[in-house]
Amino acid sequence: MTATTPDSPATAHPTAPGRHRTPSGAPQPVRRRQGPSPEKGELVRPLSRRQIDDRMGELGELYSHTSSIESRASDQARSAAFRRRLAGHMQRPGFELLVAETAGPAGATVLTGCAYGFPVCGDGPWWQGLDGYLSKNLLRLAASGGLFAIADILVERRVRTQDQSREWNLARRLQMRLLSDHTAALGVTLVDRDNADTLEALVSWGWRCPSAEARGAPGLARRRLLVLRRPAVGILRSPQQDFRAAD
């Protein structure tokens, strides 16, 4: 997983009229610096399937750059494997992919993050054997359309280690936007038990492991199921971010 929380530019505050000024030559007091909220630094928006096809190479590069999975495969091979997996997931009903973008040098748009998923339908094929991990309560929720599988969250490492609990953390914004767009009650995902880095990041972003009694999979299963509760309506939206993809 991987996206970068932008640095806030520093802005010094001028001394207000009538306030005491420090004599020339004396040490200046340290002033508190402020800048725009990181929430406004990156635009989160969905891509249409046509737009995804056009940017598939760019998305593959983002995956190879941000993936926390150690592999002997080359970046090119890992990118190709991700693109094949993404192409398969795109066939799922209700599929949605979000990207995070920011302005780079000379005004060029830079891709900084990505997340995608699809509803878990109770009457269709399960996502990567997910049915073996769901409790009866989650199966009922899936049958009613209240379960959404988040397959990938790609953000830079700094997003996994800094400000994880802030609502404007880019990974949180991406995952919560997916759930809000689909009005799902819960998000679900699977993580390999030996991928401690990804597990730690997901937990820091609000994901939780169901209790041992609620899990459908045996305790020695290769993967671990995590669930995420949908946020309150409107918690992540802002007029600048609420863009819909064109067909």
Side-chain angles (χ1 to χ4, degrees), residues 49 89 92-96 116-127 130 142 144-150 178-179 181-184 186 188:
R49 294 171 189 261
H89 285 163
R92 300 278 186 170
F95 172 90
E96 181 177 4
Y116 73 85
F118 37 81
V120 178
C121 302
D123 58 352
W126 295 103
W127 166 58
L130 188 62
S144 64
L147 212 57
F148 189 88
I150 297 182
L178 282 174
L179 297 187
D181 283 355
H182 292 266
T183 64
L186 287 178
V188 291

Side-chain angles (χ1 to χ4, degrees), residues 129-217:
L130 188 62
D131 55 327
Y133 291 82
L134 298 180
S135 65
K136 292 181 178 179
N137 288 339
L138 292 180
L139 286 171
R140 285 194 292 267
L141 188 60
S144 64
L147 212 57
F148 189 88
I150 297 182
D152 263 312
I153 303 174
L154 308 181
V155 290
E156 296 286 356
R157 183 168 185 81
R158 185 156 38 141
V159 178
R160 301 197 303 269
T161 59
Q162 298 180 13
D163 301 310
Q164 304 100 315
S165 63
R166 298 296 187 93
E167 294 300 337
W168 45 256
N169 176 281
L170 185 55
R172 283 180 172 260
R173 289 173 57 204
L174 288 166
Q175 66 191 22
M176 293 303 189
R177 172 71 180 271
L178 282 174
L179 297 187
S180 298
D181 283 355
H182 292 266
T183 64
L186 287 178
V188 291
T189 195
L190 294 176
V191 59
D192 289 343
R193 288 182 177 272
D194 58 357
N195 192 346
D197 188 51
T198 295
L199 177 61
E200 181 180 358
L202 288 168
V203 171
S204 74
W205 297 331
W207 291 82
R208 295 293 178 261
C209 299
S211 64
E213 296 76 14
R215 286 198 300 268

